[in-house]
Amino acid sequence: MSDGTSGESTEQYFRQLSTQYQQYKNQLESIKQHLDMVYTSSEECVKALDTLKNLESMEEGVESMVPIGSGTYMYAQFNDLNRFVVDIGAGISVEKDLEETKQTLNKRKEEMDNAYERLNESYSQVVQNMQEIERQLNEYYSKAQAKQAGYRAQ
């Protein structure tokens, strides 16, 4: 890169840093969206695990309200509390018993938590890169102002 001494090279350097900064900004937005999705998935696992825990204390044949979305519930009777249908990906679902379902959800939650941690590390690294670019831009801007002030004083 240029040391910022010539006008054209400094301007080019500013443009390069600005472009890189914008790319990092876009990358941050993408990482943030992924963080939100992973967090939501992890929370869904927690809710499902809590529901399974509550079902363990229920007796078969009991009637309960089941959420169907948008704050709407329906009454349902639970005839078999040991059979669950679990999405395993790619639009495929399999039937599992209570323990297998809990294991699947716990594993899924752990994977989501690990993914969240990795994404959060990436987010922090991009923020550090952006801060370094800001520091460089401020440094070169200060040098350019000082140089311009020196020309005015002559």
Side-chain angles (χ1 to χ4, degrees):
M1 293 267 159
S2 164
D3 65 0
T5 54
S6 76
E8 186 175 321
S9 60
T10 300
E11 185 177 322
Q12 181 181 1
Y13 185 69
F14 274 127
R15 274 187 268 143
Q16 288 172 343
L17 285 178
S18 295
T19 300
Q20 191 174 18
Y21 188 86
Q22 186 60 45
Q23 290 170 342
Y24 282 139
K25 192 173 176 183
N26 294 340
Q27 191 176 358
L28 268 187
E29 185 58 36
S30 176
I31 293 171
K32 172 92 173 75
Q33 289 174 355
H34 282 91
L35 279 167
D36 291 344
M37 288 187 311
V38 168
Y39 178 81
T40 299
S41 294
S42 179
E43 286 301 301
E44 286 178 5
C45 288
V46 169
K47 288 177 185 175
L49 286 164
D50 286 345
T51 300
L52 290 176
K53 185 177 180 179
N54 291 332
L55 287 175
E56 285 179 308
S57 64
M58 292 175 68
E59 294 180 23
E60 287 185 8
V62 73
E63 188 174 87
S64 184
M65 292 190 335
V66 178
I68 61 171
S70 291
T72 305
Y73 297 81
M74 66 178 278
Y75 288 99
Q77 188 173 19
F78 296 99
N79 296 321
D80 189 347
L81 296 173
N82 199 36
R83 289 177 46 203
F84 300 90
V85 178
V86 180
D87 179 6
I88 60 170
I92 300 171
S93 298
V94 296
E95 188 173 297
K96 294 187 178 212
D97 67 22
L98 178 63
E99 284 307 311
E100 290 173 322
T101 301
K102 289 191 318 189
Q103 288 172 0
T104 299
L105 289 170
N106 279 316
K107 183 179 178 194
R108 191 175 293 168
K109 182 181 178 335
E110 184 179 327
E111 290 170 355
M112 290 300 112
D113 291 347
N114 290 337
Y116 189 88
E117 191 174 312
R118 287 190 308 273
L119 284 166
N120 210 24
E121 288 171 6
S122 295
Y123 189 90
S124 296
Q125 183 61 50
V126 172
V127 167
Q128 287 177 355
N129 293 343
M130 290 176 73
Q131 289 171 339
E132 176 60 22
I133 289 174
E134 288 172 354
R135 185 197 63 75
Q136 290 177 24
L137 286 170
N138 288 334
E139 180 181 313
Y140 279 92
Y141 184 70
S142 295
K143 284 181 182 179
Q145 282 185 328
K147 188 175 180 181
Q148 195 173 34
Y151 286 136
R152 287 184 194 151
Q154 291 179 357

